[in-house]
Amino acid sequence: MAAAMGLERKAKVAEVALRCAVCALAALAAALVGTGSQTRTFFSLEKKARFTDMKALVLLVAAHGAAAVYSLLQLARCAAAAAFVSRNGGGNGGAAVVAWSVFLCDQAVAYALMAATAAALQSSVVGKRGQPELQWMPVCGLYDAFCRRVGEGLAAAVAAGLAAVLLAAVSAFNLFRLYGGGGGRKSSAGAVSGNGANTW
Amino acid sequence: MAAAMGLERKAKVAEVALRCAVCALAALAAALVGTGSQTRTFFSLEKKARFTDMKALVLLVAAHGAAAVYSLLQLARCAAAAAFVSRNGGGNGGAAVVAWSVFLCDQAVAYALMAATAAALQSSVVGKRGQPELQWMPVCGLYDAFCRRVGEGLAAAVAAGLAAVLLAAVSAFNLFRLYGGGGGRKSSAGAVSGNGANTW
């Protein structure tokens, strides 16, 4: 049981660290992309590039902003649960319901961040290189500062997505651990024995 | 233990069914998008639309083709493991190593399919509606049959992605179940008791 408790503790530390990372990186990505703009004057015509010019960037800002807020709420829940445990000495009221809802939300956030990032990356590559077969011209030659800003935002978005993926794995661990067959036990080397016929 | 065995059996059935679904849907998506083409003649100039004109569709075909092959290999592994178990009456040789590698591969496939599908959807929306702020014109007015074909392929790609997401959850279940703290037990209502202080 001591090994299991150590593993549980590690999972909690990893969860809090990853939630902080997702929150900070997603907020950074949304802020970098959302606040960037560049104005250029062509003859007497003034044109301004903003993230709203590209649907994929709007999606990115929305998804990462929502993920940052969600991570903050989850951190508050973690803190509240820790305070509850330290005062009441543990207790398992609704552990499965909480673990299931956290698991589902974390999965949804991870896939949403990955999808939004992939769509924005795709749009940005077309914006940078164009798609000559379809006569879509590159636009980064005109708005170089804006494009650089979006590039930095995308780097933060990718990092946030990776942290969200790791977090989804941790919350899957927290949930499915509860369904251990009763015979599973973890040796210190990380190998698992027991649980008869589960070799596929 | 009987409840746990029933759960295990259900997870195996779900795994095989989802692998079949991913294999069929991903192959369908890759085939629909990869084989579609449309030739139009503008005055004396002949132009042909193919999926290679759009980088995101190339990525979609590659990702879904690879996922279909991977699913086939995994189905073969499932069949081999089932044959082994029925002959040797179970055994847990390397259960954790297998579960870990299957888990990591399934997660990678799920995220890759979702990302490729999101990128292709994004490109297709721009192809359908254009992005007037950047002077990218819609191209589906010219190649309507090709666009319809790509749309069908994308629908299959989304379905394959959803199946892959469910499959990733099942293989996370198969892996992390092995790390059950020893006290977790599942009641018939799906609620979980035990495992003292794990309420966050």
Side-chain angles (χ1 to χ4, degrees):
Chain A
M1 201 61 193
M5 287 306 276
L7 201 64
E8 204 175 291
R9 181 147 206 95
K10 266 184 221 162
K12 283 182 188 180
V13 172
E15 185 184 348
V16 171
L18 284 169
R19 285 198 197 285
C20 290
V22 170
C23 185
L25 288 167
L28 180 68
L32 278 174
V33 174
T35 61
S37 76
Q38 186 175 10
T39 310
R40 286 280 308 257
T41 313
F42 301 100
F43 304 105
S44 64
L45 197 68
E46 203 167 71
K47 279 199 127 185
K48 191 174 182 182
R50 292 203 62 218
F51 74 101
T52 46
D53 292 341
M54 213 183 244
K55 300 280 185 307
L57 293 183
V58 177
L59 185 70
L60 182 90
V61 170
H64 280 74
V69 172
Y70 166 78
S71 298
L72 261 188
L73 293 176
Q74 283 282 5
L75 279 171
R77 185 187 62 73
C78 285
F84 177 84
V85 166
S86 76
R87 224 188 14 231
N88 299 8
N92 53 3
V97 175
V98 171
W100 265 105
S101 53
V102 169
F103 165 74
L104 289 177
C105 291
D106 283 347
Q107 295 285 322
V109 165
Y111 287 111
L113 287 192
M114 289 301 278
T117 305
L121 271 176
Q122 206 284 324
S123 259
S124 303
V125 168
V126 174
K128 178 87 182 159
R129 302 212 193 149
Q131 189 92 69
E133 296 89 343
L134 308 179
Q135 272 142 20
W136 294 347
M137 291 301 125
V139 289
C140 278
L142 301 176
Y143 301 104
D144 50 344
F146 177 67
C147 276
R148 221 172 306 125
R149 173 67 86 90
V150 169
E152 290 159 9
L154 282 176
V158 169
L162 292 179
V165 166
L166 289 178
L167 182 61
V170 170
S171 80
F173 171 81
N174 283 337
L175 172 62
F176 293 130
R177 207 168 46 79
L178 303 180
Y179 290 90
R185 202 154 327 293
K186 193 192 147 286
S187 86
S188 60
V192 173
S193 60
N195 275 33
N198 51 22
T199 328
W200 47 309
Chain B
M1 201 62 192
M5 286 307 276
L7 201 65
E8 204 176 291
R9 180 149 206 93
K10 265 184 223 162
K12 283 181 189 180
V13 171
E15 185 185 347
V16 171
L18 284 170
R19 285 198 196 286
C20 290
V22 170
C23 184
L25 289 167
L28 180 68
L32 278 174
V33 173
T35 60
S37 75
Q38 187 175 10
T39 309
R40 288 278 310 256
T41 312
F42 302 99
F43 304 104
S44 64
L45 197 69
E46 204 168 72
K47 279 197 127 187
K48 191 173 183 184
R50 294 202 62 219
F51 74 101
T52 45
D53 292 341
M54 213 184 245
K55 301 280 185 309
L57 293 184
V58 177
L59 185 69
L60 182 90
V61 170
H64 281 74
V69 173
Y70 166 78
S71 298
L72 262 189
L73 293 177
Q74 284 282 3
L75 280 172
R77 185 187 60 75
C78 286
F84 178 84
V85 166
S86 76
R87 223 186 15 227
N88 300 9
N92 52 4
V97 174
V98 171
W100 265 104
S101 53
V102 170
F103 165 74
L104 290 177
C105 290
D106 283 347
Q107 295 285 323
V109 166
Y111 288 110
L113 287 191
M114 289 300 277
T117 305
L121 271 176
Q122 207 284 325
S123 258
S124 304
V125 168
V126 174
K128 177 87 182 158
R129 302 212 193 148
Q131 190 91 70
E133 296 90 343
L134 308 179
Q135 272 143 18
W136 295 348
M137 292 300 126
V139 289
C140 277
L142 301 175
Y143 300 104
D144 50 343
F146 177 67
C147 276
R148 220 173 306 124
R149 172 67 85 91
V150 169
E152 291 160 8
L154 282 176
V158 169
L162 291 179
V165 166
L166 289 178
L167 181 60
V170 170
S171 77
F173 171 81
N174 283 337
L175 173 62
F176 293 131
R177 208 168 45 79
L178 303 179
Y179 291 90
R185 203 157 320 298
K186 192 190 150 289
S187 87
S188 61
V192 173
S193 59
N195 274 31
N198 53 21
T199 329
W200 49 307

